[in-house]
Amino acid sequence: MKHTTTVRSACRMCHGVCQVLVHLEDDRVVNISGDPESPTSRGYLCPKGAASPELLYHPDRIVHPLRRAGRRGENRWERITWDEALDEMASRLAAIKEESGSEFFSMMQGTGRPYMGFTNRFANAFGTPNFTGVAHVCYIPRILASMMTCGPLPICDVYGFGGEDPACIVIWGCNITETGSSDGMCGGMVERALRKAKKVIVVDPRRIRPAEKADHWLQLRPGTDGALALAMLNVIVTEDLIDHDFVHRYTKGYEELSRHVRQFPPEWAAPITRLRAEDIRAAARTYATTPPACIQWGNPVDMSACNFQTARALLILRAITGNIDRPGGDVFWVYPEGVRPRSPFANMDFLGMQFLPPEKEARALDGRKYPLCLVIHPPAFWRSIVTADPYRLRALWIMGSNPLVTMTHSREIEEALRLLEFVVVSDFFLTPTAQFADLFLPSSMWLERDDVVNVHKHWCVLAQKKVALVGEVRDDREVMIELARRLGLHEAFPWKNYHDFLAWMLEGTGMTFDEFCKQGILTGTMRYFKYRENGFATPSGKFEIYSDSLAGQGISPLPVYREPPATPLSAPDTAWEYPLILTTGAKIRYFFHSEGRQIESLRRRNPDPLVEIHPETAAALGIGDGDCVWIETPEGRVTMRAQLWDGIARDVVSAPHAWWFPEENPPEYGWKKSSVNLLFGDTDYDPDTGSESLRSALCRVYPAGP
Ligand SMILES: Nc1nc2c(c(=O)[nH]1)N[C@H]1C(S)=C(S)[C@@H](COP(=O)(O)OP(=O)(O)OC[C@H]3O[C@@H](n4cnc5c(=O)[nH]c(N)nc54)[C@H](O)[C@@H]3O)O[C@H]1N2
Ligand SMILES: Nc1nc2c(c(=O)[nH]1)N[C@H]1C(S)=C(S)[C@@H](COP(=O)(O)OP(=O)(O)OC[C@H]3O[C@@H](n4cnc5c(=O)[nH]c(N)nc54)[C@H](O)[C@@H]3O)O[C@H]1N2
Ligand code: SF4
Ligand SMILES: [Mo]
């Protein structure tokens, strides 16, 4: 008879937030279910979480270190031991440092994953400024805008610790009830809050589920969020719907704001956003007069040529209506006491910036062109490798990223990957990107990891318990500790091993890792209105509506709007040939970015890339539901299946990002057919953050035959 057990853990098939029960038969994980007793997720589980065992035991998964045996792209590999892999890597990196300098090694990472913080720390300790990733288009712009305005990132108070639920919820460019989770918020909890709310406002060009029942659905033109936010500020200021006490006592620059926003009445924003002025007015009134209110914002805010300013405008909306850090509003979580905050969002020191001398910083490949871009600007990064200007990197360690499909300038990335001397990829699978590796390091997934899960969740840390181990996979952090030991980077990585690191994290709680696992979660004790005692963590101690430090850096100290670079307004000539507006990368329920395409239970529910298009537009173009179509921009074309839907405007199409086909032949696995990032090239970036306008481009769509 099989022996069945259940272990409490925390799912990490996405940014992670759900506590789950892992069901085992003997040593084998057979099922995952939501943990009904979890305060973070109350039994919620999405299809990706449920599919975790399929990833764990997937036959294509690489579970031993590999060294390339043929030419790049030949898909010939030899299995090697971890010692061989780490020794080779250490000696190659040491040689590069010795011969050329530490900046000739670069590291890149994907979205927020458990290794976050360790990667930056490793790069800084090694001495290279050349760290890159997707931070300029994801989450970090909102974090930075918050830091420059009020301190930490305000988060919707959907848990009710303060005895009050949000009466008004604004869902601004976020589809969390469909995708399951983002940024450490749980879709199930947002859904629950939406059911309780008196008023719901949705700002989204697509009729997402919450929009169906919303009091206001603002179907704006993609990329114009900044204009809408300014017009809402205008309404609230001119109609005097502000929280006078808060504004008077705790903010700086309201007078300047009230003069500034006079330029932006709803009548100004209407033709830009394509909303009716009275609808903007009505939504602004509802938001300002239904306290407490919160704004669940999402990724489109990060992805525009005006992202930092838009994020600032949305922060100011929250402040002048008195919704900052009040129960049911947008709050600053209190971190659990005694746990070392290693999340870079809670503790910038953990990134290990002190290890990098200024003369190395001066060798940054992008010349630090964008003052608020925390990574080497990816387009400049890849180009520097192709052109060897200012110099050509020699080695790159790609940790948990698939840039060939998740970043723009795909063809240049491909060329760069060919030109590099030494490429290491840490991943679960041989992806199109990993096919360029000289060394492949197999990573453990969450069921194979002990962890104090804390990235993105500032009010709690969750226990994650290792319940399985396939082959020789290793935690990425353990690998970095091992490599740091070989390279003599003790100061940055003082832990004997990975478990020593976990003990260090929990040191202040007096708990061992096993004791922590028994408890499952540690929470901070929530307090509200903390600014009344401590002020805000800004230079003035106030909520900075007007920011002198931004002005000092040549950045607009009050929020402004910039039209995206490729729209019918900014590029009418292009629009003549490419008449449709393309928004990309609305996240898919069944996949996490480029992941999951090989997981059968998920792929079955979404076998092909689907581009959403209005039925009337499709009819005029001779396109039927499910037909193959080309999507073309001046940069290139890709093919997808048309999904006809009247929830999108007639001249807008929405296409998912990061498609590849693991079932097709390596090394490309068909990525050049449908990866939407082939459609983006050089453009005007956000001057402050370097962000790319991935939510607003111009394209045409036409039938591709059967
Ligand atoms: N056009 C367009 N492009 C976009 C977007 C968009 O909206 N539009 N969205 C952008 C956004 S928001 C993001 S965050 C990026 C995401 O970009 P990436 O992070 O590059 O995308 P993923 O496909 O999630 O991750 C890449 C690889 O990481 C591996 N992986 C997963 N977990 C681990 C782990 O714990 N360790 C290791 N070593 N590997 C792991 C996966 O198997 C996968 O192959 O894409 C961006 N790209
Ligand atoms: N299942 C699943 N979950 C995920 C991910 C995943 O790949 N799959 N990725 C994770 C990551 S890294 C991130 S960054 C988050 C992102 O998750 P979210 O913050 O929810 O962002 P998106 O899903 O990119 O887009 C949300 C909504 O924005 C709308 N939208 C498109 N263009 C615009 C625009 O110009 N303005 C406005 N206001 N709305 C627009 C889309 O229609 C979509 O409904 O999700 C995380 N969670
Ligand atoms: S939302 Fe994320 S953490 Fe929750 S079950 Fe899905 S993948 Fe796991
Ligand atoms: Mo992201």
Side-chain angles (χ1 to χ4, degrees):
M1 226 188 73
K2 283 191 176 138
H3 178 65
T4 60
T5 41
T6 299
V7 178
R8 290 208 136 79
S9 194
C11 176
R12 203 70 164 76
M13 288 292 272
C14 72
H15 292 150
V17 67
C18 302
Q19 290 184 286
V20 293
L21 303 174
V22 181
H23 306 279
L24 295 113
E25 280 180 11
D26 294 334
D27 295 342
R28 199 167 171 92
V29 179
V30 289
N31 194 20
I32 312 288
S33 59
D35 179 353
E37 279 161 36
S38 164
T40 67
S41 53
R42 301 182 194 235
Y44 184 79
L45 186 77
C46 84
K48 297 187 302 312
S52 305
E54 281 177 81
L55 169 60
L56 174 67
Y57 299 120
H58 201 285
D60 297 348
R61 204 177 152 202
I62 306 296
V63 296
H64 304 282
L66 298 179
R67 181 193 284 135
R68 180 160 59 82
R71 280 176 289 110
R72 274 198 183 131
E74 250 188 333
N75 194 33
R76 285 178 46 217
W77 305 91
E78 78 177 292
R79 180 173 156 183
I80 55 173
T81 66
W82 271 105
D83 272 337
E84 286 173 298
L86 293 173
D87 286 345
E88 177 172 338
M89 201 170 161
S91 67
R92 294 287 291 261
L93 296 193
I96 287 172
K97 191 175 196 164
E98 172 80 24
E99 293 158 14
S100 308
S102 50
E103 68 274 28
F104 284 75
F105 164 68
S106 165
M107 215 160 164
M108 74 172 295
Q109 71 179 15
T111 184
R113 296 213 168 85
Y115 50 69
M116 230 169 124
F118 259 69
T119 39
N120 303 68
R121 204 173 169 81
F122 188 89
N124 286 330
F126 187 81
T128 178
N130 294 322
F131 185 89
T132 194
V134 288
H136 66 311
V137 289
C138 182
Y139 197 45
I140 302 295
R142 280 174 283 158
I143 303 252
L144 290 175
S146 304
M147 281 170 65
M148 314 281 304
T149 306
C150 57
L153 180 92
I155 300 176
C156 293
D157 191 26
V158 296
Y159 289 101
F161 299 132
E164 233 180 315
D165 294 308
C168 173
I169 300 183
V170 186
I171 303 283
W172 195 303
C174 183
N175 197 12
I176 189 169
T177 58
E178 168 78 9
T179 55
S181 153
S182 68
D183 311 332
M185 291 292 281
C186 174
M189 297 304 94
V190 171
E191 201 155 352
R192 175 168 151 269
L194 282 170
R195 280 197 297 272
K196 292 190 198 173
K198 290 207 266 303
K199 297 283 180 189
V200 174
I201 301 169
V202 174
V203 180
D204 198 304
R206 295 162 61 238
R207 194 175 60 232
I208 57 171
R209 239 181 326 125
E212 287 166 11
K213 284 192 246 149
D215 300 273
H216 307 264
W217 170 35
L218 301 177
Q219 189 184 21
L220 80 177
R221 174 168 66 94
T224 63
D225 300 83
L228 175 60
L230 284 172
M232 288 176 71
L233 283 171
N234 169 286
V235 174
I236 291 165
V237 167
T238 52
E239 298 187 9
D240 197 26
L241 304 175
I242 63 169
D243 179 331
H244 285 273
D245 182 60
F246 180 84
V247 167
H248 175 68
R249 287 165 64 177
Y250 301 108
T251 68
K252 172 177 171 310
Y254 181 73
E255 281 310 308
E256 289 91 331
L257 177 80
S258 65
R259 279 195 302 276
H260 177 71
V261 297
R262 266 183 231 147
Q263 309 163 71
F264 311 116
E267 286 69 20
W268 163 82
I272 299 173
T273 58
R274 295 183 178 166
L275 299 167
R276 297 188 316 172
E278 60 260 43
D279 292 343
I280 299 175
R281 271 206 177 84
R285 287 179 190 138
T286 298
Y287 172 66
T289 59
T290 318
C294 63
I295 303 179
Q296 175 63 42
W297 56 359
N299 199 198
V301 174
D302 305 318
M303 288 180 172
S304 77
C306 178
N307 65 344
F308 182 76
Q309 296 292 341
T310 302
R312 286 251 307 142
L314 290 170
L315 288 162
I316 294 169
L317 266 176
R318 295 167 166 119
I320 63 171
T321 52
N323 281 305
I324 292 281
D325 214 19
R326 67 173 285 177
D330 285 299
V331 301
F332 304 131
W333 294 119
V334 177
Y335 197 75
E337 216 171 306
V339 183
R340 280 209 166 86
R342 66 154 156 103
S343 161
F345 305 133
N347 179 8
M348 289 303 244
D349 291 344
F350 193 78
L351 301 181
M353 302 297 209
Q354 69 273 23
F355 297 108
L356 200 65
E359 64 273 17
K360 283 294 173 194
E361 184 54 28
R363 299 282 283 159
L365 282 168
D366 62 353
R368 298 280 185 228
K369 183 166 173 207
Y370 302 98
L372 300 175
C373 184
L374 292 193
V375 287
I376 300 295
H377 195 236
F381 177 83
W382 298 111
R383 184 149 305 155
S384 78
I385 300 170
V386 172
T387 59
D389 177 21
Y391 55 92
R392 179 173 291 150
L393 278 177
R394 296 180 58 189
L396 171 62
W397 187 1
I398 300 176
M399 172 70 75
S401 189
N402 197 354
L404 270 183
V405 293
T406 55
M407 285 183 171
T408 64
H409 297 76
S410 317
R411 289 183 194 279
E412 230 168 344
I413 297 176
E414 187 181 33
E415 203 183 332
L417 288 172
R418 272 186 217 292
L419 287 166
L420 284 166
E421 194 180 306
F422 185 55
V423 178
V424 183
V425 173
S426 297
D427 205 304
F428 307 140
F429 294 98
L430 282 169
T431 63
T433 301
Q435 281 289 346
F436 285 91
D438 296 280
L439 279 182
F440 181 96
L441 306 181
S443 304
S444 57
M445 54 86 77
W446 69 271
L447 289 159
E448 299 161 314
R449 281 175 179 163
D450 284 332
D451 206 355
V452 181
V453 176
N454 77 339
V455 171
H456 294 161
K457 283 174 288 293
H458 299 176
W459 64 276
C460 61
V461 289
L462 308 177
Q464 186 177 88
K465 191 96 187 90
K466 172 174 170 176
V467 294
L469 187 70
V470 178
E472 296 178 307
V473 297
R474 285 196 186 172
D475 189 294
D476 304 304
R477 288 161 294 186
E478 191 187 318
V479 173
M480 282 183 262
I481 291 173
E482 271 294 299
L483 201 61
R485 196 171 55 72
R486 281 170 164 80
L487 289 164
L489 310 175
H490 305 283
E491 195 193 344
F493 294 88
W495 312 286
K496 281 196 297 291
N497 53 41
Y498 176 66
H499 278 88
D500 192 31
F501 162 72
L502 293 181
W504 174 84
M505 277 205 56
L506 293 170
E507 198 177 343
T509 65
M511 268 185 216
T512 64
F513 182 72
D514 286 338
E515 286 162 353
F516 168 59
C517 286
K518 284 203 190 81
Q519 192 151 325
I521 183 169
L522 287 174
T523 57
T525 310
M526 188 56 188
R527 288 171 291 116
Y528 294 87
F529 302 113
K530 295 178 281 296
Y531 56 82
R532 288 181 185 163
E533 293 147 49
N534 316 326
F536 287 91
T538 59
S540 65
K542 303 239 164 145
F543 184 105
E544 299 202 343
I545 295 173
Y546 184 99
S547 167
D548 289 315
S549 46
L550 287 178
Q553 292 182 63
I555 297 171
S556 175
L558 287 167
V560 291
Y561 173 68
R562 269 186 300 273
E563 177 71 13
T567 74
L569 300 190
S570 60
D573 291 347
T574 315
W576 186 249
E577 272 184 82
Y578 300 90
L580 297 173
I581 296 168
L582 172 68
T583 173
T584 68
K587 308 308 182 255
I588 306 175
R589 179 169 174 80
Y590 302 106
F591 306 120
F592 197 73
H593 302 287
S594 75
E595 294 178 42
R597 304 302 191 286
Q598 60 284 84
I599 294 179
E600 210 191 298
S601 71
L602 300 176
R603 185 68 184 280
R604 214 183 316 126
R605 284 133 114 175
N606 188 346
D608 301 306
L610 299 173
V611 54
E612 291 168 346
I613 180 165
H614 193 279
E616 285 173 24
T617 311
L621 293 167
I623 294 166
D625 194 37
D627 286 358
C628 285
V629 297
W630 287 109
I631 310 166
E632 186 175 324
T633 70
E635 297 292 330
R637 66 176 193 172
V638 298
T639 176
M640 295 197 180
R641 280 189 193 280
Q643 181 165 54
L644 308 198
W645 187 37
D646 66 1
I648 194 162
R650 282 172 182 72
D651 62 348
V652 176
V653 295
S654 172
H657 72 301
W659 268 89
W660 62 292
F661 305 91
E663 69 278 13
E664 295 193 9
N665 288 335
E668 289 188 357
Y669 303 103
W671 74 268
K672 286 177 182 161
K673 282 196 297 193
S674 302
S675 174
V676 91
N677 278 319
L678 280 160
L679 304 179
F680 294 93
D682 285 349
T683 178
D684 293 333
Y685 306 108
D686 180 275
D688 309 327
T689 63
S691 179
E692 307 182 52
S693 287
L694 302 176
R695 299 302 161 112
S696 179
L698 290 168
C699 74
R700 58 181 171 224
V701 175
Y702 49 93

